[in-house]
Amino acid sequence: MKKRLFLIIDMQIGFINVHTEGIDERILAFLKQVGEQVITAGTRYVNHAHTACYVFEGWKACMAGTEEAELVPSLRGAVIRVFDKDKYSCWNDEVKQFIRDNRIEKVYFAGVNTGCCVLNSVLDCYNDLVDCAVIEDLCGSTSGMREHEAALTVLRSCITEDRVITAKEAVREILAGIYS
């Protein structure tokens, strides 16, 4: 059986709005279907005075130690590990070591924001030659559907259309791996 990582990007209180609400419920439904066939981890964007978002945009949300920087309560028990980051991409030495230590063969990405943190993390993963896929209906953008769809277009172009999949396709692929 292939070892797979389901990596939930930045599902934090500060990133939940009218455009992203309900993603956590869809993620939990997905996890019920795949059970323990995936290792589930998450990331958390921790803003501070030396991040690009703070310096260049003046964005002061999700600051270290604030409630809005915390994972949404519904997903806290679903992840075995949370990786803090202060850049769009989560693809750092800590994540890469976790993947090596757990002999992960494929990474499935979900979460927010599709055009920032998800996109950058996926591209870095792909560039490191790690098999990956984005579960499009388990991602979203705080800026709305237009930005989400634009990011999916870029991802389809950069990592191939076959790697941008639906939750239903991911479930089928993961459960088929039980017997391979």
Side-chain angles (χ1 to χ4, degrees):
M1 174 174 68
K2 278 189 169 184
K3 291 196 81 177
R4 295 175 165 109
L5 174 64
F6 181 55
L7 192 52
I8 305 167
I9 306 295
D10 301 353
M11 285 297 300
Q12 297 165 240
I13 294 169
F15 292 128
I16 301 302
N17 67 15
V18 67
H19 303 294
T20 57
E21 63 187 0
I23 294 173
D24 61 329
E25 294 164 9
R26 294 194 306 269
I27 286 172
L28 289 170
F30 171 79
L31 286 171
K32 274 188 177 179
Q33 292 179 66
V34 297
E36 298 193 11
Q37 303 310 313
V38 295
I39 296 170
T40 304
T43 69
R44 180 174 57 180
Y45 181 80
V46 180
N47 199 11
H48 54 76
H50 303 288
T51 65
C53 291
Y54 187 95
V55 172
F56 297 125
E57 300 170 37
W59 190 66
K60 294 182 174 89
C62 293
M63 297 300 286
T66 64
E67 183 181 352
E68 61 188 3
E70 296 303 320
L71 293 183
V72 295
S74 60
L75 294 178
R76 290 178 191 165
V79 298
I80 64 160
R81 178 85 179 267
V82 176
F83 300 98
D84 285 343
K85 63 189 185 67
D86 62 0
K87 297 174 177 18
Y88 285 154
S89 179
C90 72
W91 205 250
N92 58 30
D93 291 338
E94 186 181 15
V95 170
K96 290 189 263 188
Q97 188 63 51
F98 181 85
I99 287 169
R100 281 191 300 275
D101 290 349
N102 288 282
R103 298 190 168 120
I104 300 298
E105 296 178 56
K106 185 163 187 172
V107 180
Y108 293 88
F109 288 89
V112 297
N113 275 312
T114 315
C116 297
C117 297
V118 174
L119 179 120
N120 280 275
S121 298
V122 171
L123 291 177
D124 286 347
C125 175
Y126 181 83
N127 282 328
D128 264 358
L129 304 178
V130 176
D131 193 7
C132 60
V134 177
I135 306 175
E136 64 180 288
D137 48 338
L138 299 183
C139 293
S141 173
T142 55
S143 300
M145 189 56 82
R146 193 173 104 217
E147 285 77 6
H148 170 70
E149 289 295 335
L152 293 174
T153 298
V154 170
L155 285 163
R156 286 184 185 102
S157 174
C158 292
I159 67 168
T160 75
E161 288 190 24
D162 292 343
R163 293 177 188 283
V164 180
I165 61 177
T166 65
K168 186 176 181 178
E169 292 167 324
V171 167
R172 194 167 39 245
E173 183 177 293
I174 291 166
L175 294 180
I178 296 171
Y179 307 105
S180 61

